[in-house]
Amino acid sequence: MKTDINATSATTSWPGLIEAYKNWLPVTDNTPVITLQEGGTPLIPINSIGNRIGKKVKVYAKYDGLNPTGSFKDRGMTMAISKAKEEGCEAVICASTGNTSASAAAYARRAGMRAYVLIPDGYVAQGKLAQALVYGAEVLAIKGNFDRALNIVQEIASKYPVTLVNSVNPYRLQGQKTASFEIIETLGEAPDWLCIPMGNAGNISAYWMGFKEYYKSKKSKKLPQMMGFQASGSAPLVIGKVIDNPQTIATAIRIGNPVNREKALIAKKESNGAFLDVTDKEIIEAYKLLGKEEGIFCEPASAASVAGLLKRKNEIQNGATIVCVLTGNGLKDPDCAINNNDASFSSGLEPEIQTIAQRMGL
Ligand code: F0G
């Protein structure tokens, strides 16, 4: 448990995850640390979700949407870009459904490198595209999906002097595993369930690595069951085969051929976990609940973890501790928010007290 953190140290002393966990990461004193002080994200109780389950469970959101570029990708990117810099690389490339491209662009440019990002044309949320552009990436939108883009960047990185920073880059998962360390430090123990959305399945693999490392070092006495969730139209790990034309409102996880499939399956098996799909409707229900009952705005892909938890609530043991990973910030996808909410919105009103009071029901 972290103790004795006063307001000043809490706001000024978090150095970023490489500095915080350097003994657990493949870095040396010669590694130039490229950081935006990522990591150290809050673990927030989400009681309205817990109440829907009953059984005295405790449910928390690991809100990784509060990272510097608004997603968990920053955890991996600080490592991948620092190591690329150490190796003298001058340009990086990635395929992305949006968040990886935003993060790669931010960290690469901070390190003085070029960033090439391949995205599926028309299927990247506006906020993410805006970020990649503002961070100064070279954005290449292809007439094809993420899986095709990943094939292309893998081939390019094998032929040209550009470093691949998708999650096949082993440093990415090293950085991302630190989220498990933070969860154990905050709870004082590993949770019983870790609920997480899956796309390319790198993050679930990274979390599992982190949980195992702390367990082996006796920093926790148990390991969580890894519960991975995919969107129904885009659930290759659930149905056990590649999907050629994946579809879902959660564009971040619109992936039909996950590159980290084997690692994720090992995590499921070793942890006695499970993979399940959730429909777009279930994702949006969870997304709205988090917003209007908890004040947490995540992106639709992230809400898959909560949707999945609610769907499997009958299997949860009494008194269990559950962590849902909220991988990305809701501001990433404003179109989804505007089209999917239960708010009342009156526009074009006359700027008069009486009109406003009347609309307020006063
Ligand atoms: N949640 C969000 C918000 C994501 O952006 C992603 C992946 C995932 C979950 C799934 O993580 O791939 O490690 O299983 N986004 C990638 C991208 C593919 O390009 O930004 P995963």
Side-chain angles (χ1 to χ4, degrees), residues 73 92-105 115-134 137-153 156 164 166 251-252 254-255 332:
K73 305 287 181 180
V92 299
I93 193 165
C94 67
S96 182
T97 55
N99 282 323
T100 300
S101 64
S103 188
Y116 296 96
V117 306
L118 253 76
I119 56 170
D121 204 354
Y123 287 95
V124 167
Q126 288 290 297
K128 304 175 189 181
L129 183 57
Q131 287 180 291
L133 295 170
V134 168
E138 326 236 350
V139 180
L140 305 155
I142 64 160
K143 293 186 216 156
N145 62 26
F146 169 85
D147 303 293
R148 180 71 195 123
L150 187 57
N151 290 339
I152 294 171
V153 296
I156 288 183
L164 186 62
N166 279 104
T251 51
R254 185 175 165 270
I255 294 175
K332 296 267 190 179

Side-chain angles (χ1 to χ4, degrees), residues 71-73 95-101 128 146 166-167 172-173 176 197-204 252-253 255 260 299 301-302 327-329:
S71 85
F72 72 96
K73 305 287 181 180
S96 182
T97 55
N99 282 323
T100 300
S101 64
K128 304 175 189 181
F146 169 85
N166 279 104
S167 55
R172 280 275 313 275
L173 301 196
Q176 288 170 216
M198 296 186 299
N200 228 0
N203 211 25
I204 191 170
I253 51 172
I255 294 175
N260 294 295
E299 62 173 289
S302 309
T327 45
N329 196 301

